[in-house]
Amino acid sequence: MINITFPDNSVKQFEAGVTPLAIAESISSRLAQDILAASVNGQEWDITRPIEEDATIKLFKWDDPEGKHAFWHSSAHLLAEALQALYPGVKFGIGPAVDNGFYYDIDPNGNEITASEFPKIEKKMLELAREKNAIVRANISKSDALKLFGDRGESYKCELISELEDGHITTYTQGGFTDLCRGPHIANTAPIKAVKITSLAGAYWRGDEKREQLIRVYGITFPKQKMLDEYLVMLEEAKKRDHRKLGKEM
């Protein structure tokens, strides 16, 4: 048995290998439905990742910044999965969560991606999300990672892998898409219920203007369509305020 310490300093015992999701389920089924991420001994942690030793734990829901971060980070992977399906041959750079949503830097590799394609990308993301695929973490050796991504022609990923220390490399897979990533991620794609691709921008690979110029695809997702609708209204109101301010200044 291992001791799990909660934020209120209470302690409960569990079998070694228990996951944050199982711990949440032991508290209430509603909490288990709501949690998106966790921290274990101060380290970001997937809710389906086993805990093997005594630990302090925090559980994060949507209202917590850590919960949103895991949700949007997972959504970046969902975006990449959709782009892979829609634009064969596309190559991937990095795809982090940001303060409001996420982005993925991609090399279109001959594919044309414009704002007119946004509805098609959103539709594909929602289609994939509804498959409720588990997002599965795996440890992988450096040589296996280089082969996996090299065989796919993922030169940007291979460059990143070449700089990583062997024994500390992980991938995450959902459906037919595998990405190099440290995580954490939500348990599966099911909670992603509303999607909006917001903009495109140019971005030099690794911020170096002497390197390849990629396309940065920005998006945002929510666990409810109502939340997305409210967010879009808020953006419109912010634009109106900016226009009024600009008018006064002129």
Side-chain angles (χ1 to χ4, degrees):
M1 302 293 284
I2 59 174
N3 295 315
I4 299 296
T5 303
F6 294 88
D8 64 359
N9 292 321
S10 63
V11 179
K12 287 181 70 174
Q13 287 196 322
F14 295 89
E15 294 283 349
V18 69
T19 65
L21 183 59
I23 292 170
E25 184 66 52
S26 75
I27 298 169
S28 79
S29 58
R30 180 56 187 267
L31 178 61
Q33 291 172 17
D34 289 345
I35 67 163
L36 298 169
S39 71
V40 174
N41 291 332
Q43 181 183 349
E44 296 177 328
W45 207 265
D46 303 302
I47 61 174
T48 54
R49 183 178 171 188
I51 304 169
E52 302 291 352
E53 59 188 14
D54 291 354
T56 58
I57 192 171
K58 292 180 180 178
L59 304 174
F60 303 117
K61 299 188 287 186
W62 172 259
D63 289 338
D64 300 302
E66 296 89 346
K68 286 187 177 71
H69 184 274
F71 191 94
W72 285 334
H73 194 178
S74 302
S75 298
H77 282 219
L78 186 67
L79 167 62
E81 185 183 8
L83 293 173
Q84 177 181 264
L86 294 170
Y87 307 100
V90 68
K91 296 181 181 182
F92 298 101
I94 60 170
V98 293
D99 288 344
N100 284 296
F102 54 90
Y103 69 79
Y104 219 116
D105 287 345
I106 64 166
D107 180 342
N109 196 22
N111 291 285
E112 186 175 357
I113 302 174
T114 65
S116 65
E117 307 274 286
F118 289 0
K120 181 171 73 172
I121 298 170
E122 293 162 2
K123 181 181 178 182
K124 189 63 177 179
M125 287 179 69
L126 287 171
E127 176 187 311
L128 293 168
R130 285 193 290 269
E131 293 179 3
K132 303 180 180 180
N133 288 316
I135 303 176
V136 181
R137 183 180 192 270
N139 294 300
I140 187 171
S141 70
K142 189 168 186 173
S143 59
D144 285 347
L146 286 168
K147 184 177 189 319
L148 172 66
F149 290 95
D151 287 351
R152 286 167 30 184
E154 292 282 6
S155 54
Y156 303 101
K157 296 294 184 183
C158 287
E159 180 178 328
L160 296 174
I161 293 165
S162 69
E163 299 170 4
L164 298 175
E165 183 181 353
D166 201 0
H168 297 273
I169 300 172
T170 54
T171 62
Y172 282 81
T173 299
Q174 88 258 359
F177 179 73
T178 298
D179 206 352
L180 176 74
C181 190
R182 289 194 299 264
H185 289 280
I186 58 178
N188 59 66
T189 59
I192 302 171
K193 300 287 179 60
V195 175
K196 185 69 176 177
I197 304 301
T198 53
S199 64
L200 298 174
Y204 290 108
W205 172 234
R206 309 192 84 168
D208 184 347
E209 63 182 13
K210 296 178 181 178
R211 300 294 304 273
E212 301 89 339
Q213 186 169 38
L214 308 180
I215 295 175
R216 180 167 292 179
V217 185
Y218 284 95
I220 194 165
T221 54
F222 292 91
K224 295 179 182 178
Q225 182 63 43
K226 181 182 177 183
M227 292 179 175
L228 174 57
D229 294 341
E230 291 171 348
Y231 175 77
L232 295 176
V233 169
M234 182 192 73
L235 287 184
E236 285 301 315
E237 290 300 317
K239 286 180 184 176
K240 290 176 185 176
R241 287 195 295 273
D242 285 346
H243 291 159
R244 286 195 294 267
K245 181 181 177 183
L246 180 61
K248 290 178 181 177
E249 289 174 349
M250 290 177 68

